[in-house]
Amino acid sequence: MLSAELIVDRPEFTVRLVHCHEDHAGWSPPETGQRRGVVLVRSGGFRRRGRHGEMWADRALGYLTTPDEEERFAHPIGDDECTAIHVSPRLWRAVAGPAAADPTAAVSVDSRLELRHRLLLRAARTGDLDFAVAERLLHVLAGATRHVDTSRDTTMAARTDRALADSAREALTAQHPSARGLLPLAELLGVSPYRLSRVFHRHVGVPLTRYRNRLRVGAALHRLENGEPNLAALATELGFADQAHLTRTVRAEVGETPHRLRTLLAGSAG
């Protein structure tokens, strides 16, 4: 079951929170988008089928939307959440620049863009939609359109490799027991560790280790946003060696310490 909450409604832009409450591996009926924009995942992950094939969307990979594209969705691990930002054609052209010509591309989401995403949602809680929210929204759109993947390799080999990379990303997002390391993950997917590492880096743009860190830092941001008080316990839960390891990784990915992020995300907006 899907639910959607409209939290920002302005003539030039809207922001919706979308939540899938249960898993279903089958594809949904076709949907057609109404406005251009970007969809960013807050938790979990899901499959999307559009004009350019299938993709796995999660915290580290979102996508741009276009009003004339038919989409289908599948939620094999369930309980995922995303933010759908839609904007007017005029605002899209002003912000997207070159990306405006190819609005169906996937968006690589680094930890800094995820932080911008969460700060946008925090600003929406203030009710200052025409200044605080508009400013944060422009930051998100600018970040998203700078990280589009416009590759269109449709050969059989490319589709096979992309499917392998997506399967690895799905296992990591779902925290499958075999996703605890490169070797068991490769065994789960039926390929050599070298092939998995090489294909993943080529199609996702970052090594598996960096991608896993993005997911873990995203999970940390979610917990810090909700005021997580025990950083040592959080580090252990997310698979870091200790609190210092968590702090180093978060600072390297986001540019801020967990303590500072907790204040930014859970404090009053400004």
Side-chain angles (χ1 to χ4, degrees):
M1 180 177 122
L2 286 173
S3 64
E5 178 187 1
L6 180 66
I7 63 169
V8 177
D9 188 10
R10 281 292 184 267
E12 290 288 313
F13 56 86
T14 63
V15 180
R16 285 179 172 83
L17 305 181
V18 183
H19 185 187
C20 174
H21 302 275
E22 58 187 20
D23 62 294
H24 58 88
W27 291 101
S28 68
E31 306 172 22
T32 302
Q34 300 300 313
R35 300 177 78 177
R36 300 192 188 278
V38 60
V39 173
L40 300 174
V41 179
R42 301 193 310 281
S43 66
F46 55 89
R47 291 192 173 273
R48 174 183 182 262
R49 178 182 290 168
R51 179 180 302 156
H52 298 290
E54 296 179 15
M55 65 171 289
W56 174 258
D58 59 22
R59 282 190 175 114
L61 196 71
Y63 58 91
L64 303 183
T65 63
T66 188
D68 60 351
E69 182 176 19
E70 184 177 280
E71 303 171 291
R72 293 175 183 264
F73 300 93
H75 303 263
I77 64 175
D79 202 29
D80 52 77
E81 299 176 309
C82 66
T83 303
I85 301 167
H86 294 118
V87 301
S88 69
R90 182 176 65 175
L91 181 57
W92 177 258
R93 287 192 299 270
V95 176
D102 187 8
T104 57
V107 175
S108 178
V109 182
D110 61 19
S111 298
R112 293 173 189 262
L113 178 53
E114 178 161 1
L115 177 59
R116 291 183 181 185
H117 169 202
R118 292 182 180 276
L119 289 174
L120 165 64
L121 299 182
R122 183 172 66 84
R125 295 198 295 267
T126 70
D128 186 2
L129 305 184
D130 295 311
F131 283 92
V133 171
E135 185 174 38
R136 291 294 185 187
L137 181 137
L138 292 175
H139 290 169
V140 169
L141 291 178
T145 54
R146 282 200 302 266
H147 292 84
V148 295
D149 174 11
T150 57
S151 60
R152 290 289 180 266
D153 189 344
T154 58
T155 63
M156 179 63 73
R159 290 198 299 269
T160 300
D161 286 353
R162 190 171 294 281
L164 172 60
D166 278 355
S167 294
R169 294 171 53 234
E170 182 175 344
L172 288 166
T173 303
Q175 298 181 324
H176 191 283
S178 294
R180 68 185 184 280
L182 172 60
L183 301 187
L185 180 58
E187 183 177 359
L188 171 71
L189 300 176
V191 297
S192 72
Y194 174 73
R195 171 169 164 72
L196 175 58
S197 177
R198 180 172 55 85
V199 166
F200 192 94
H201 196 169
R202 183 170 72 247
H203 281 275
V204 180
V206 294
L208 267 161
T209 299
R210 180 70 182 275
Y211 187 86
R212 176 171 175 260
N213 279 342
R214 282 188 184 177
L215 294 180
R216 293 197 294 174
V217 170
L221 289 174
H222 179 72
R223 294 284 290 276
L224 293 169
E225 185 176 25
N226 288 283
E228 173 60 53
N230 191 332
L231 295 182
L234 178 62
T236 299
E237 183 177 332
L238 296 180
F240 292 98
D242 50 32
Q243 183 176 333
H245 185 201
L246 167 67
T247 298
R248 289 194 304 272
T249 303
V250 169
R251 182 187 287 132
E253 289 285 328
V254 189
E256 301 282 359
T257 66
H259 287 93
R260 172 60 177 158
L261 289 169
R262 185 165 53 197
T263 301
L264 283 173
L265 290 167
S268 59

